[in-house]
Amino acid sequence: MTKRELKLGAFLLHNGHHVAAWRHPQADTGADPLRLYQHLAKTAERACFDAVFFADSVALTSGVGGLEPLTLLSAIAAVTDRIGLIGTATTTYNEPYHVARKFASLDRISRGRAGWNLVTSDNAAEAANFGRTEHVGHAERYERAKEFHQVVQGLWDSWEDDAILNDKQNAIQFDPQKLHTLQHHGKHFSVAGPLNVSRSPQGKPITVQAGGSETGKNLAAETADVVFTAHPTLASAQAFYQDLKARVEKAGRHRDDLKIMPGLFPVVAKTQEEAQRKFQLLQDLVTPKDGITLLGRMIGNFDLTPYPVDEPLPELPLTDNGQQSRQKLLTQLAQGENLTIRELYLRIAGGRGHFTLIGTPEHIADQIQLWFENDAADGFNIMSPYLPGGLEDFTELVVPELQRRGLFRTSYAGTTLREHLGLAFPKNRYTK
């Protein structure tokens, strides 16, 4: 094995990441999503993936939506032993105590495999489900997120690692000197604590973020263990990697304290021609309605239906209620290649602006190795085109090739997600 080990996450999204995944002839659109996701998690675990990952939205914008991640991950924890369990919870439409308690519970249930994907909500439709007439602005969302994270981390430190004694002989259940209240009083939150869930084998859940704006990158550099990011080219990924690692060091942390894992949308087959046919099958299933809805959502929550689909993308103002980094990426792509709206939505129908690879296992492994060994990524979040076949193809064809090259593990060395990622055990702030 190489000294530095590739990290892999399985990003499981509904029927798959392609916008037409649900129409694929082999996609599982049955009435038992739990069985499907448990099968996928066990498939990823057999391949020694670091984690499965679930995004989330608290509003319906297209399709039929998905299950609440924490509930689902608890059910997955019951049928897996090693693989990490990462779920999304927004800091805009949640309270810190709820989030801290739920993820701490998942961490205890899974014996140290939980991760929290901290998002600020780029889906403007969520506002109407929480008593608001409009979405919270970008700057305020990140200001709230920073304080939210501080509160959650403080609550996770409520119990020191050796606080629980369960001394039956002397009737001492825990050491009261090692249980701490938080007494946080800030601009957005007032939380007394302590948390009513004790520490897990990995100390506390890992924290994942995906922000690519200046504010988002600064927050990630200060607080995140893992960053998921979208970069379609090696050059842009390298620039982001160097920028964020430098910010991590500026924040007083070691650059290896943060793992950068770009999204990867792979379509793999034993020959290049077969892989292209598999991809084209999905492209041919995209409807204009679904394509325009996806693009409008991804480019900043804009309604693009009034514009002709075979004309260039119109000039759009900077979004204040969506992902500014994704808007910049897609706008540059459209302008750089003079794409029409139709051409642009077809371009992102699979990877949504993420790194896309179509080809043989060797070709895909070549590109993964190139990015990994040239300061563009610490690993990848695998975005299967459709489920379950897309993930099965990757684990059966690409993972063995990565293992043959000594880039990826053949068995787990540890039991917790923190150990899989090579992250240090977090010291409790109160421990002397």
Side-chain angles (χ1 to χ4, degrees), residues 294-307:
L294 172 67
L295 179 57
R297 164 86 172 80
M298 298 301 298
I299 208 165
N301 294 303
F302 289 102
D303 180 10
L304 299 178
T305 55
Y307 304 99

Side-chain angles (χ1 to χ4, degrees), residues 107 112-115 200-206 416-419 425-426:
D107 212 28
R113 294 187 283 141
S200 84
Q202 71 169 346
K204 56 178 120 176
I206 69 158
T416 69
L417 177 54
R418 194 172 294 278
E419 289 174 313
F425 188 88

